[in-house]
Every structure is written in C-alpha cells, then in structure tokens.
Amino acid sequence: MAQPNRRDDPRIRKRVRKLHAQGASRNAIARDVGVAKATVSAIAQDLGLSFDRSGTRAATEAAQVDHAARRARLVTRFYDQAERIMDRLDRDEHELADVSAGKLIRYTVRDLPPHDVKALVHSAGHATDKAIRLEAVDAHDGAEEAASMLARLAAGVRTAWQTGEGSAGARRPPDEPETGGVGRDE
C-alpha cells in the first residue's frame, strides 16, 4: 500500500504553520515534524509562508569575506614560494647529494644540472600561476558574463520571434528586418 502524501496531511500542515508562526526555521520544522526539508518548503509555499533568510544571507556574505581574506593570504604565500625558489636558482653554489655504494655523498657545484633548473623554474611558475588565478577570483566583477548572457538572450528572443516558437503563430512579418528590432541602431 502506498504511503499517503505527507505534504497533504492536515496535521503536518497545521504543525508547520504553528512552528512557522513561532519563528522556527525550515530545518528545525523538518526535524520537529519528521519530514524532509523539501516537504516543509512545499507546504510553506502552499500556505503562502516564507522563511527569513537574512541570517543565511549574512552568514554567506561573512563566509565570502573570510574566503577572500584566505585567498589573499594564499596569494602572498604562493608569490613568496615562487621568490624563494627563484632565489635558490640565483645562488653562487649549490649543495647536492647522491647515494653511492649505499653511502650518502654530499658535494657542492657552481651550476645546477639542467633537470634541477627545469624543475625549480617549473615550480616557481606553477606557484605564480596559482597566485594569478586566485587574484583573478577577487578581481572578477561578472560584467563580461552579464553582457554575454544578455547577447545570448537577445539572440534567443530574436530566433523565437522569427520562427514563431513560444507564441501561437507570432511570426516575423515579411517586411520586417532580420534583426526583429533587437540590437538595431535607430
């Protein structure tokens, strides 16, 4: 036998309304009533109720500020690491070590072997690339995406209007220009 839809259960709906009136959060109501959060949201929507999201919004904004500060610290650390690596390359002498006959042998050379230079340069570049990517996260304002989205939206509206999709029989009149009035300079 199928379970009844808990969303339609009058006792649950009454309890959701009461707890909501007492200021309980959606999650608290779901725990109290024993239903999924989505069920509480659906019942609240049915009843014309909404939950105060200002606390969530404030917490989200605070977390974003905290993450930006952490990214700034990481950027500094990546640049510091890159500088330390490059400083190693600039030394007059380099201490190296090898194992020979089971013994560790240390020695000093003026120039690093090419594979060591390549590895250090690669590591410095990688640290710098990471720093640049993290800086770009906070420098990004979303304007490019907004402009691109608006252009795609205009193209979609133009296509739908010209083909008559989305509205019964609303096609472009034969004497109307191809642009359909969108993006036309007048």
Side-chain angles (χ1 to χ4, degrees), residues 1-177:
M1 183 157 99
Q3 288 274 348
N5 185 346
R6 300 193 69 179
R7 177 178 176 174
D8 296 330
D9 185 323
R11 291 175 307 195
I12 291 175
R13 294 172 70 85
K14 183 177 179 182
R15 184 79 179 138
V16 167
R17 182 185 298 276
K18 180 179 178 186
L19 291 170
H20 180 274
Q22 294 172 355
S25 70
R26 180 193 66 155
N27 293 357
I29 294 171
R31 279 190 304 273
D32 183 277
V33 177
V35 297
K37 293 177 265 188
T39 302
V40 173
S41 294
I43 292 170
Q45 184 177 9
D46 291 349
L47 299 174
L49 307 175
S50 63
F51 293 97
D52 179 15
R53 306 284 295 171
S54 60
T56 302
R57 189 174 10 268
T60 300
E61 289 170 2
Q64 289 171 340
V65 169
D66 291 346
H67 293 320
R70 291 176 76 189
R71 282 191 300 275
R73 289 192 302 272
L74 284 171
V75 165
T76 299
R77 291 179 67 193
F78 277 128
Y79 281 135
D80 289 346
Q81 184 67 29
E83 283 183 345
R84 281 193 297 275
I85 293 168
M86 295 305 292
D87 289 345
R88 284 179 64 187
L89 288 169
D90 292 339
R91 293 180 187 160
D92 292 332
E93 291 185 336
H94 304 276
E95 201 173 296
L96 300 176
D98 281 322
V99 176
S100 178
K103 293 188 178 195
L104 182 65
I105 300 172
R106 294 181 187 270
Y107 57 99
T108 303
V109 296
R110 182 163 160 62
D111 294 319
L112 283 172
H115 66 276
D116 288 347
V117 172
K118 180 181 177 184
L120 289 170
V121 168
H122 177 77
S123 294
H126 191 68
T128 302
D129 288 345
K130 293 297 182 186
I132 289 168
R133 285 185 180 192
L134 285 172
E135 286 176 319
V137 169
D138 292 317
H140 178 65
D141 66 359
E144 273 185 45
E145 282 79 10
S148 176
M149 187 249 337
L150 289 173
R152 287 191 312 271
L153 179 61
V157 168
R158 181 181 316 113
T159 300
W161 183 69
Q162 289 172 344
T163 62
E165 294 177 16
S167 62
R171 295 185 182 267
R172 176 177 53 85
D175 60 335
E176 190 69 21

